[in-house]
Amino acid sequence: MVKVAVIGAKGRMGSTVCAAVQAASDLEVVARLDAGDAINEQSLAGASVAVVFTVPSVKLQNVLDLLAAGVHAVVGTSGWADDELDQVRAAQKKSSANVFIAPNFALSAVLAMEFAAKAAPLFESVEIVEMHHPNKVDAPSGTAVATAQKISQARKQAGCEPMPDATEADPQGARGSRYAGVPVHALRLRGMTATEEVLLGNPGEVLTIRTDSFDRESFMPGVLLAVRKIADTPGVTVGLEHLLEL
């Protein structure tokens, strides 16, 4: 029986994680922590793994506290900068615990990212549109940033030419942001949960790779997979594709 703590337990994702862990025969929720709760050995109540779904502003400190307590961290909070990941890696080297961070735990989203990276060198143009509910506090999504990075790396390795774009004036930013050179557009719409489209264009054709999550249940198989595997996944790992051996 793996004992699990949930950080951000009162949130939409956190409460879904609590229910999924409790429903698993080999897992048990032993601590439910939220804003204002200390993260230490006492409050973690013997957990060996903690699942973190909090807000971006506190995610780094959450993970550092878990490493200090010697508890493995499975992190779904997005918005990780390179310097923050460097701090996590440095702290992890001094801890007995491992860290797993996923931009997205939905299997369809992970596959969509991999498909997009495979296809990107074969098309002249690539753009990303991500659509989420209006309560999401960060933009663009961590999934969109990770997708852009994978696409950029694949195109660079293939020696692709820069993507065509004759735009000379865009004072209001209508062309979106660029991450790793890839245009990313973030929509926040009531009624949405989580959707990403990668549009790839050549003369006379467009390929659209789309993933939709209609319910937070879609993330739970990936979360539970990470909880079960993190003890045997040393160091700091970013991306569910590593656990799926893609």
Side-chain angles (χ1 to χ4, degrees):
M1 184 71 71
V2 178
K3 295 183 178 181
V4 180
V6 179
I7 316 298
K10 294 181 181 178
R12 293 178 297 273
M13 282 297 298
S15 59
T16 307
V17 170
C18 288
V21 171
Q22 285 294 87
S25 60
D26 58 333
L27 308 175
E28 178 187 6
V29 176
V30 295
R32 301 171 189 242
L33 305 179
D34 213 275
D37 294 329
I39 298 176
N40 51 43
E41 290 187 29
Q42 182 176 1
S43 65
L44 292 167
S48 60
V49 180
V51 179
V52 181
F53 276 99
T54 53
V55 295
S57 60
V58 299
K59 67 185 185 305
L60 175 59
Q61 191 60 54
N62 292 159
V63 174
L64 296 179
D65 289 344
L66 290 170
L67 288 173
V71 174
H72 302 303
V74 172
V75 187
T77 311
S78 59
W80 289 91
D82 290 341
D83 65 311
E84 292 176 320
L85 291 174
D86 289 341
Q87 291 182 62
V88 171
R89 292 186 180 102
Q92 190 280 324
K93 290 179 181 178
K94 302 175 183 178
S95 173
S96 60
N98 303 322
V99 178
F100 177 82
I101 300 171
N104 199 310
F105 280 98
L107 303 183
S108 62
V110 176
L111 290 171
M113 285 190 278
E114 295 298 308
F115 296 158
K118 294 283 187 184
L122 305 177
F123 289 82
E124 288 187 21
S125 301
V126 187
E127 304 212 7
I128 299 170
V129 181
E130 59 96 339
M131 296 167 270
H132 283 77
H133 55 87
N135 294 324
K136 184 172 176 57
V137 298
D138 59 325
S141 67
T143 302
V145 173
T147 305
Q149 291 170 338
K150 286 178 177 293
I151 287 170
S152 179
Q153 183 178 12
R155 289 178 63 82
K156 183 177 181 180
Q157 290 176 347
C160 294
E161 295 290 328
M163 292 185 284
D165 187 351
T167 304
E168 294 183 359
D170 182 14
Q172 298 300 320
R175 288 289 293 118
S177 301
R178 284 184 178 262
Y179 285 80
V182 179
V184 178
H185 311 267
L187 282 63
R188 296 292 175 264
L189 299 173
R190 186 67 67 194
M192 301 296 299
T193 300
T195 290
E196 180 176 273
E197 288 186 350
V198 182
L199 296 95
L200 305 101
N202 271 338
E205 65 172 345
V206 170
L207 169 65
T208 300
I209 299 172
R210 174 171 171 143
T211 172
D212 293 278
S213 288
F214 303 107
D215 191 283
R216 292 174 181 83
E217 287 289 335
S218 65
F219 306 116
M220 293 306 105
V223 171
L224 298 186
L225 175 67
V227 167
R228 293 178 174 120
K229 287 195 171 186
I230 191 169
D232 299 318
T233 308
V236 179
T237 304
V238 180
L240 193 63
E241 65 271 18
H242 299 293
L243 300 187
L244 296 173
E245 300 181 357
L246 296 175

